[in-house]
Amino acid sequence: MAIRLTRIYTRRGDQGDTDLVGGTRVPKDGLRIEAYGAVDELNAAVGVARAVNAAELRRPPASRELDAILKRLQNELFDLGGELATPPAAFVPGMFRVGAAEVKALETVLDRCQKDLKPLKSFVLPGGGRVSAFLHVARTVCRRAERDVLRLMRSEDIGEWPLAYLNRLSDLLFVLSRWIGHHRGEREFLWERPLKREAERRAPAKRGVP
């Protein structure tokens, strides 16, 4: 489908409704609009992380790999947004749908990056380096998009894969935040209370107390 944008404002949405793919007019606060709007926000959050990664002066080779990963994710999120903006009646043969191949690809990247990381002894506090922090923001937006898609699934048949894709993507964004921080040599901050409990539990044993 050729895309050509020659005019940005149309005034057609001034009364609170908008077009889905195919021309159906729906309220802007409808479940389908909330779902693909959250995916659009997620795409923007990933774009910020990608821009910050590109702008950092101290960039390890992993930064180039991260840029390639995030670029692919942004394109896939645009695909997913288009899918969610298309009601069943407007789908035509050949239109893209997120499926098992896209979910499996996310898992492949997850597994590859996870091999570079040490097992966690507590939950990670969002932050660390700049790129890691923005990836954590993207992860939380992804979780919200996942909830919005779930609400849509309860009222319309959109298939199983959009939800599975977002679920796996939130995991990937978490791992990528740790992975790029590891390759940049940045400190990882952990939730301290479980660490303190573990230290207290081990302390008597170290003193020889049964």
Side-chain angles (χ1 to χ4, degrees):
M1 179 177 63
I3 296 175
R4 184 179 181 183
L5 300 177
T6 59
R7 185 177 181 182
I8 302 303
Y9 69 89
T10 64
R11 301 192 181 96
R12 284 170 47 78
D14 291 352
Q15 303 305 312
D17 54 8
T18 189
D19 289 307
L20 295 177
V21 174
T24 302
R25 298 289 289 177
V26 295
K28 287 186 175 182
D29 59 353
L31 292 177
R32 189 173 284 275
I33 309 303
E34 292 282 359
Y36 76 70
V39 169
D40 186 30
E41 186 178 346
L42 170 58
N43 203 337
V46 172
V48 171
R50 185 181 174 200
V52 172
N53 177 62
E56 292 281 357
L57 297 177
R58 186 169 58 89
R59 285 180 287 179
S63 291
R64 291 192 294 274
E65 184 176 355
L66 178 62
D67 182 76
I69 294 170
L70 297 183
K71 178 182 178 181
R72 194 187 82 207
L73 293 179
Q74 284 196 280
N75 277 277
E76 290 180 353
L77 287 170
F78 219 101
D79 290 335
L80 177 57
E83 177 180 345
L84 294 173
T86 307
F91 268 101
V92 297
M95 289 184 72
F96 175 82
R97 288 179 183 263
V98 168
E102 286 72 32
V103 175
K104 179 61 178 177
L106 296 181
E107 293 174 348
T108 299
V109 179
L110 263 164
D111 292 341
R112 185 174 75 246
C113 293
Q114 188 67 22
K115 290 179 181 178
D116 293 346
L117 303 175
K118 294 180 180 179
L120 282 170
K121 297 181 179 179
S122 183
F123 291 102
V124 174
L125 298 180
R130 283 162 49 87
V131 179
S132 295
F134 280 112
L135 287 170
H136 274 293
V137 172
R139 171 186 61 80
T140 61
V141 177
C142 188
R143 286 298 192 194
R144 176 155 52 81
E146 183 183 358
R147 295 191 296 270
D148 287 340
V149 166
L150 178 58
R151 279 188 283 270
L152 176 61
M153 286 178 67
R154 287 174 175 159
S155 65
E156 298 187 48
D157 181 13
I158 62 171
E160 63 180 302
W161 294 111
L163 188 69
Y165 179 87
L166 290 170
N167 181 272
R168 214 70 82 252
L169 177 56
S170 63
D171 292 336
L172 176 57
L173 291 169
F174 173 75
V175 168
L176 287 176
S177 71
R178 297 191 66 213
W179 180 79
I180 194 62
H182 165 73
H183 282 282
R184 288 176 178 270
E186 295 166 342
R187 182 181 176 186
E188 186 170 64
F189 297 94
L190 301 179
W191 183 29
E192 294 180 356
R193 191 170 302 280
L195 298 176
K196 289 179 180 179
R197 284 201 301 263
E198 179 67 14
E200 291 168 356
R201 187 183 68 81
R202 292 177 177 275
K206 289 183 178 180
R207 293 195 298 267
V209 178

